């Protein structure tokens, strides 16, 4: 099985594009179960994505997410992040300050350190470069640090990339109300990004990355919320 011209092609059967093998693979690709690595590679080739190696990230976001968006925060939720965050040379800066107190009782440094190189933040039709920062405790014998969680800005921080909650909620409601599969939703989202001129989308985002961000988001919603929104296949 391979991808030709954006479609599945079976090398075993005479009906190369319409055999039972192709039908079975299509069903499996649109399911919510864990998929083998070889199938992910096939799906990426169908999407004409780049073949860069991917390692499953360790999410930085740990703060639980409320299903209902507080009224006082709805304006921020619906605003593009570049309208309220400081930008330096075209790169958004997160976070700019830290008001928390360390568990040892000391303050965190006013000056932060960059958390690696700038990373891409993915929204529904936009992509932004973001420079995340880490704050260290001022006490010399304390190694505590605070990394950018992203929750206060409605972002999932996957470490090597970020995804806005609005995109993941949009998929959630498509799944709930119309049964849209994640793979089909990703194909539509990819096309929207391309239509908006984001030519580097295929080099920076993949179906696997979107899937990892989705499961991180669902896990942060917690089991009570998952029951409330009736996603039985996520009650694991």
């Amino acid at each position: 099985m391979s991808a030709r011209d954006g479609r599945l092609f079976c090398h075993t059967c005479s009906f190369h594009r319409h055999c039972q093998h192709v039908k079975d693979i299509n069903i499996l690709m649109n399911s919510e179960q864990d998929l083998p690595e070889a199938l992910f590679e096939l799906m990426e080739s169908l999407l004409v994505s780049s073949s860069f190696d991917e390692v499953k990230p360790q999410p930085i976001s740990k703060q639980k997410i409320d299903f209902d968006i507080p009224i006082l925060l709805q304006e921020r939720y619906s605003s593009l992040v570049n309208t309220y965050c400081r930008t330096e040379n075209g790169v958004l800066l997160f976070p700019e300050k830290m008001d928390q107190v360390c568990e040892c009782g000391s303050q965190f440094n006013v000056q932060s350190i960059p958390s690696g190189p700038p990373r891409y933040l993915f929204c529904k039709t936009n992509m932004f470069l973001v420079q995340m920062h880490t704050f260290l405790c001022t006490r010399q014998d304390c190694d505590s640090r605070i990394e950018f969680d992203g929750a206060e800005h409605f972002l999932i921080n996957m470490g090597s990339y970020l995804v806005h909650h609005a995109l993941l909620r949009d998929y959630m409601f498509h799944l709930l109300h119309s049964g849209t599969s994640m793979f089909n939703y990703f194909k539509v989202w990819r096309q929207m990004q391309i239509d908006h001129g984001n030519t580097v989308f295929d080099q920076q985002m993949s179906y696997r990355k979107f899937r990892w961000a989705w499961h991180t988001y669902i896990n942060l919603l917690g089991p009570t919320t998952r029951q409330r929104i009736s996603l039985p296949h996520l009650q694991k």
Side-chain angles (χ1 to χ4, degrees), residues 30-34 168 171-183 207 210-211 214-215 217-219 221-223 225-236:
N30 286 302
S31 72
E32 292 298 327
Q33 60 183 290
D34 291 333
L168 299 167
Y171 166 63
M172 178 174 67
F173 289 125
H174 273 76
L175 174 62
L176 284 172
H177 298 302
S178 63
T180 303
S181 70
M182 190 183 303
F183 186 56
Y207 176 66
F210 180 74
R211 191 182 181 96
W214 161 251
H215 284 291
Y217 176 75
I218 286 297
N219 288 335
L221 282 175
T225 305
R226 291 202 298 271
Q227 292 172 2
R228 173 183 172 183
I229 60 180
S230 303
L231 296 176
H233 57 285
L234 294 173
Q235 311 303 322
K236 299 178 181 178

Side-chain angles (χ1 to χ4, degrees), residues 140-186:
Q140 292 186 351
D141 61 346
C142 179
D143 58 0
S144 294
R145 60 174 56 206
I146 291 184
E147 297 183 273
F148 178 60
D149 183 281
E152 63 179 299
H153 296 284
F154 299 100
L155 306 177
I156 292 291
N157 183 358
M158 297 297 292
S160 57
Y161 62 102
L162 302 96
V163 179
H164 200 285
H165 290 187
L167 175 68
L168 299 167
R169 286 173 66 86
D170 187 64
Y171 166 63
M172 178 174 67
F173 289 125
H174 273 76
L175 174 62
L176 284 172
H177 298 302
S178 63
T180 303
S181 70
M182 190 183 303
F183 186 56
N184 283 339
Y185 181 88
F186 181 83

Side-chain angles (χ1 to χ4, degrees), residues 32-56:
E32 292 298 327
Q33 60 183 290
D34 291 333
L35 304 177
E37 191 68 18
L39 189 54
F40 273 125
E41 294 176 1
L42 179 59
M43 295 166 82
E44 296 294 350
S45 64
L46 284 171
L47 294 169
V48 201
S49 294
S50 63
S51 58
F52 57 86
D53 293 331
E54 292 180 329
V55 178
K56 187 173 183 178

